[in-house]
Amino acid sequence: MLAVVPPPVTVRVPSKINLHLSVGDLREDGYHDLTTVFHALSLTDEVTVYATQEPGIEVSGEGARLVPTDGGNLAMRAVRALADHVGKPDEAERVRVVIRKGIPVAGGMAGGSADAAAALLACSTLWGLDLHRDELAEVAATLGSDVPFALYGGTALGTGRGERLVPVLSRHTFHWVLAFDQRGLSTPKVYGELDRLRESGDPPRVGPPEALLEALASGDPRRLALLLGNDLQAAAVSLRPGLRRTLRAGVSAGALAGVVSGSGPTCAFLCTDGDAALKVAAELAGAGVCRTVRVAHGPVPGARVCDE
Ligand code: C5P
């Protein structure tokens, strides 16, 4: 009898920026306690999983050659983690993962985490498990601090390592310009640099997120712009001093404000509306301060199965 091979499943998954990122002290497990406001953006990756006798991984698109294609790839680890979670570890050996990247690699926009979240949802569908998103999020949290958020999307307050999430009311579509840097930054190195800066001085801290949450609820980009803040920004700028120039150039080009996204080096610029974002993007692209620019809007939903 012929086995029925399930059709491939494609999932589209958003990137994120942190509108607010307050980093607490180093914990004993090597992580830092965070209070952060995640915001999912329309800059996306697509992950397709195939049931196959030739397992493996293929990556194309933005920064593809920088993505590991061995068992260490976070999407591949997600496939294995889900197979283990449902007690069918062998299933992971019969999956091919194809990733089309739009999110920069090591850019502070949680691209690897997004691919892991997409792989979880895609395999849950491929294997007919149809697990609830909350159950996928439990597996996601074992893979990385930013993976659960990529499943839910929207705008959310994150605590713990960033994996404990509560949705946040956000009344407006906000328009962003993203400036990608020439090279990525390693997240552990940026956290380490912040620890070092705090040992030798007192870099400014962003404080509590309440005012920013109110600005989000108001939907007013001008109010939101005044409140964007990221404790990791000083560390990212310390490791990559050119980011200071990039941040200035975005504001000179007409953005309301700029902030380093997560651990960087991508810079995110908030604009008044979509037309302003296109203008800022064009001017920033000509300013020679970054590798490339993209426009995006948020919030957008989390990982979703594509219909076609
Ligand atoms: O959780 P994830 O593997 O994405 O984190 C990558 C690294 O970032 C961690 O190994 C740690 O060095 C740093 N990190 C941290 N505190 C957090 C999240 C990440 O120190 N809350």
Side-chain angles (χ1 to χ4, degrees):
M1 202 176 74
L2 282 175
V4 179
V5 179
V9 178
T10 297
V11 168
R12 185 168 303 129
V13 64
S15 53
K16 64 85 190 164
I17 55 176
N18 303 76
L19 304 177
H20 174 99
L21 178 49
S22 160
V23 180
D25 294 327
L26 182 62
R27 309 194 315 202
E28 274 185 5
D29 64 0
Y31 284 87
H32 297 72
D33 270 319
L34 305 182
T35 304
T36 187
V37 178
F38 290 112
H39 186 64
L41 292 189
S42 59
L43 182 76
T44 57
D45 279 0
E46 269 179 26
V47 175
T48 305
V49 293
Y50 298 82
T52 174
Q53 299 307 318
E54 292 166 50
I57 186 154
E58 281 166 46
V59 188
S60 63
E62 170 65 39
R65 67 191 167 74
L66 303 170
V67 178
T69 50
D70 56 17
N73 181 290
L74 205 50
M76 224 45 218
R77 282 175 44 206
V79 174
R80 282 201 306 274
L82 186 66
D84 287 348
H85 177 75
V86 296
K88 295 184 173 172
D90 293 349
E91 284 298 320
E93 308 308 321
R94 291 191 277 272
V95 173
R96 183 154 198 88
V97 179
V98 176
I99 302 175
R100 283 172 295 279
K101 294 217 57 80
I103 309 172
V105 176
M109 298 192 73
S113 300
D115 299 341
L120 289 176
L121 178 60
C123 283
S124 167
T125 310
L126 184 77
W127 297 335
L129 304 170
D130 293 323
L131 300 182
H132 193 277
R133 226 163 261 262
D134 293 347
E135 188 170 349
L136 291 179
E138 280 171 33
V139 183
T142 67
L143 295 161
S145 314
D146 294 339
V147 185
F149 176 71
L151 285 170
Y152 294 110
T155 306
L157 181 67
T159 53
R161 286 185 290 130
E163 85 287 11
R164 275 192 257 134
L165 298 168
V166 183
V168 159
L169 176 69
S170 174
R171 201 184 288 283
H172 188 78
T173 294
F174 296 101
H175 295 271
W176 300 88
V177 173
L178 303 162
F180 297 177
D181 203 8
Q182 304 295 343
R183 286 168 296 120
L185 270 176
S186 143
T187 300
K189 273 200 191 139
V190 177
Y191 275 99
E193 180 67 5
L194 180 62
D195 294 337
R196 197 187 64 77
L197 292 176
R198 284 178 171 175
E199 269 166 30
S200 57
D202 196 13
R205 297 192 185 225
V206 296
E210 277 70 22
L212 178 121
L213 296 177
E214 283 168 22
L216 277 168
S218 81
D220 180 355
R222 289 174 200 281
R223 264 182 80 181
L224 183 63
L226 297 173
L227 297 161
L228 299 174
N230 177 2
D231 280 350
L232 289 179
Q233 180 159 315
V237 169
S238 169
L239 293 171
R240 194 66 60 78
L243 292 180
R244 208 172 272 128
R245 205 156 65 92
T246 312
L247 288 165
R248 269 202 306 267
V251 174
S252 302
L256 297 170
V259 68
V260 167
S261 173
S263 55
T266 305
C267 294
F269 296 96
L270 179 58
C271 300
T272 40
D273 53 36
D275 286 345
L278 288 173
K279 190 183 146 286
V280 169
E283 196 164 326
L284 200 56
V289 293
C290 56
R291 177 168 59 81
T292 188
V293 298
R294 296 277 189 279
V295 292
H297 61 268
V300 298
R304 285 282 179 284
V305 175
C306 299
D307 285 335
E308 76 281 22

